[in-house]
Amino acid sequence: MKKVLFILGPNLNMVGIRDKAVYGTETAESINEQVKKWADELNIDLEIFQSNHEGDIIDKIHSAYGNKDGIMINAGALTHYSYALHDAIEAVHIPTVETHMSNVYAREEFRHKSVISAVCAGTIAGFGTNSYYLGLLALKNLMK
Ligand code: DQA
């Protein structure tokens, strides 16, 4: 069974409370449950990690080296400015899919740029919770 690390960055624990018009009303806990079910259906061994701290996320990515077959990441706002996150993803050589719940291109200009895209296999954005389903599906194929 392939092992995937699903990383959620800053403020994604607040989904369901924050900006409901953008992220919906489903809580982070309930989204995690749904993503775990999808992973089971796809026969993926999934670990979910959420942190509001850049360094902790970087440590977690490093710990995936040699231990995980794929990474799915919603880096939150770190997406737009964390070169350290870019370097961490690049360092571990693990197929990584970037995901966003919202269509970042239809929002503020600062969200149009991702500094991690170049080291990810691809990006899925704009499908709400389904972005995570599509991300797992993409990873499933990448890990074959
Ligand atoms: C987000 C989009 C980011 O711009 C934002 O900072 C987030 C969530 C998304 O899932 O749509 O925290 O990554």
Side-chain angles (χ1 to χ4, degrees), residues 8-12 15 18 22-23 73-81 98-104 107-108 110-113 124-128 131-132:
L8 293 148
N11 301 304
L12 288 161
V15 164
R18 74 186 277 209
V22 174
Y23 302 109
I73 185 164
N74 182 349
L78 290 172
T79 304
H80 313 301
Y81 65 89
E98 175 184 356
T99 56
H100 301 282
M101 293 181 75
S102 66
N103 178 357
V104 282
R107 301 181 64 197
E108 302 97 315
F110 76 88
R111 298 185 203 276
H112 298 182
K113 186 176 168 56
I124 294 161
F127 302 102
S131 289
Y132 301 141

Side-chain angles (χ1 to χ4, degrees), residues 3 23-26 28 33-34 39 47 61-62 65 69 81 93-95 102 116 122-123 133 138:
K3 291 183 184 168
Y23 302 109
T25 52
E26 196 177 350
E33 284 311 307
Q34 179 62 69
E47 178 187 353
I61 292 170
H62 293 172
Y65 180 71
D69 304 297
Y81 65 89
H93 298 288
I94 299 171
S102 66
I116 66 167
T123 303
Y133 178 68

Side-chain angles (χ1 to χ4, degrees), residues 48-112:
I48 302 179
F49 176 80
Q50 191 278 327
S51 176
N52 295 316
H53 306 280
E54 184 180 20
D56 290 345
I57 294 170
I58 291 164
D59 287 343
K60 193 70 187 175
I61 292 170
H62 293 172
S63 76
Y65 180 71
N67 295 310
K68 300 288 180 188
D69 304 297
I71 295 174
M72 177 162 79
I73 185 164
N74 182 349
L78 290 172
T79 304
H80 313 301
Y81 65 89
S82 176
Y83 298 115
L85 200 53
H86 165 285
D87 288 355
I89 295 167
E90 186 177 47
V92 295
H93 298 288
I94 299 171
T96 299
V97 171
E98 175 184 356
T99 56
H100 301 282
M101 293 181 75
S102 66
N103 178 357
V104 282
Y105 304 103
R107 301 181 64 197
E108 302 97 315
E109 192 148 3
F110 76 88
R111 298 185 203 276
H112 298 182

